[in-house]
Amino acid sequence: MRIRRSLIDLDDLTAEEIAQVFEQTAAFEETAPGRRLAGRTCVNLFFEESTRTFTSFNMAELRLGADVVNLAPRNLSFTSKGETLGDTAITLGAMGVSVLVVRHPEAGFPQRLALGFDGHVINAGDGVHAHPTQALLDIYTLIEEFGDLKGRAVAIVGDVLHSRVAHSAIRGLSRLGTTVVLVGPEGFLPSTYAGEGVRVERDFDGVLPNVDAVILLRIQRERFVAMPISDEEYVAGYRLDRRRLGLLRKEAIVMHPGPYNRGMELDDSVLDFAGWRYARQVHHGVAVRMAVLDLLVNARSL
Ligand code: CP
């Protein structure tokens, strides 16, 4: 049996394995999981700010009975004393650390760390590349709403280019047979994103009546120098507001990975919309991360 040690992106999971994670997620939300990671140490290495991912990984690890170390990047020898990343990985592995949960602004950093680490690396977001556990909790939320996602259509709206959340969601959803409709201005959404099962659209109003769900994205201002269009143009073309909510199908839902910026990608009417599922997404984040930790560490089939 192949033992898959790390989760760098959703490409690391087959559709069957994703289904296993979701089955375990449901079980953990139903019944307390027990100390399935007792005696294991999880180290959380966050080189970028995080509220949701950091807190929910901590909660997940603690609920599974793991020992948890939150290592501040400024205390790592490789950031100030010339140690290589590879030697850091060897060091943490030699201490018996089982899991490294890593967020870093550089795409590929978790993968590089995993090459030298004798344990499991979970990517908690690397630059513009990937954020697999966010995609898993987003897909879990969609399945909770709609069941099988084959044949459904999900719009992902805004700064797709700089969004690791979007990149992982596109991979995951298209593999489950969902039509992904990407919506945004050229500067945030080059036409090259179009592919099998993935459409690129510029007209948000035209897309809204034809999708089951809308995933809004924050503009990732920390990842580029100049806005490709003005804030006013962005708001006019792509902000979800009361009028645009009225164009949605009755049963459609709206999601956002957070943090959301009121006034830019959404206005306050979205937060009162019956189909707003942000809190469900955040809620599922803890159990999804417990399921990923359990399946990696206890290595049933991942
Ligand atoms: N969605 C997400 O990754 O949020 P945080 O940056 O707060 O972890």
Side-chain angles (χ1 to χ4, degrees):
M1 181 180 70
R2 180 169 56 120
I3 304 294
R4 186 167 291 155
R5 304 171 65 98
S6 293
L7 178 62
I8 304 301
D9 198 0
L10 285 193
D11 292 345
D12 293 331
L13 304 175
T14 63
E16 231 169 51
E17 289 167 329
I18 290 173
Q20 279 182 40
V21 168
F22 290 161
E23 202 178 300
Q24 196 67 287
T25 298
F28 287 161
E29 287 189 347
E30 187 75 21
T31 316
R35 295 172 55 79
R36 298 161 84 111
L37 260 63
R40 306 286 192 153
T41 301
C42 299
V43 173
N44 300 313
L45 280 172
F46 278 65
F47 293 83
E48 266 186 2
E49 299 78 4
S50 168
T51 300
R52 283 144 286 265
T53 314
F54 177 78
T55 307
S56 58
F57 263 114
N58 265 263
M59 290 173 68
E61 292 155 359
L62 291 167
R63 283 186 189 172
L64 291 169
D67 300 321
V68 179
V69 177
N70 289 310
L71 201 46
R74 67 177 177 282
N75 294 333
L76 284 166
S77 298
F78 86 88
T79 58
S80 59
K81 297 183 185 171
E83 187 171 64
T84 68
L85 182 61
D87 290 338
T88 302
I90 289 169
T91 303
L92 294 171
M95 283 176 202
V97 172
S98 293
V99 180
L100 293 177
V101 177
V102 187
R103 170 169 289 192
H104 198 280
E106 184 188 316
F109 185 94
Q111 176 73 72
R112 287 201 291 129
L113 192 59
L115 290 175
F117 179 61
D118 187 18
H120 313 278
V121 173
I122 301 177
N123 181 5
D126 61 331
V128 301
H129 173 229
H131 194 350
T133 57
Q134 178 69 47
L136 287 170
L137 72 89
D138 290 345
I139 293 169
Y140 188 85
T141 304
L142 286 162
I143 290 173
E144 175 181 59
E145 198 73 33
F146 300 114
D148 189 359
L149 297 183
K150 207 176 172 77
R152 296 281 181 176
V154 175
I156 302 179
V157 184
D159 182 7
V160 175
L161 184 64
H162 302 104
S163 173
R164 56 197 176 205
V165 171
H167 294 153
S168 288
I170 293 165
R171 286 186 194 105
L173 286 169
S174 43
R175 283 174 54 203
L176 293 178
T178 312
T179 298
V180 178
V181 186
L182 302 176
V183 188
E186 178 75 32
F188 283 148
L189 177 59
S191 304
T192 48
Y193 272 90
E196 201 180 327
V198 182
R199 285 197 346 250
V200 168
E201 300 284 353
R202 308 291 174 202
D203 174 15
F204 193 16
D205 286 14
V207 165
L208 284 166
N210 301 309
V211 292
D212 299 292
V214 175
I215 300 178
L216 300 170
L217 301 173
R218 180 176 65 85
I219 296 175
Q220 313 272 305
R221 293 181 195 269
E222 69 277 25
R223 305 208 192 279
F224 58 85
V225 178
M227 276 285 283
I229 61 172
S230 69
D231 283 16
E232 292 73 24
E233 286 172 304
Y234 185 85
V235 164
Y238 301 102
R239 181 171 72 185
L240 189 58
D241 56 16
R242 191 177 300 283
R243 182 188 67 78
R244 287 195 166 116
L245 284 173
L247 299 176
L248 280 168
R249 292 175 181 167
K250 199 162 69 64
E251 69 283 5
I253 64 168
V254 178
M255 297 163 57
H256 195 304
Y260 52 80
N261 290 162
R262 296 173 191 233
M264 279 308 296
E265 65 269 23
L266 51 77
D267 75 1
D268 284 0
S269 65
V270 175
L271 309 180
D272 297 328
F273 176 58
W276 175 234
R277 292 290 180 271
Y278 169 75
R280 279 315 275 171
Q281 293 171 262
V282 175
H283 171 76
H284 292 317
V286 178
V288 162
R289 288 172 175 125
M290 282 198 282
V292 167
L293 284 161
D294 180 48
L295 286 165
L296 283 177
V297 173
N298 294 319
R300 281 196 286 281
S301 67
L302 285 179

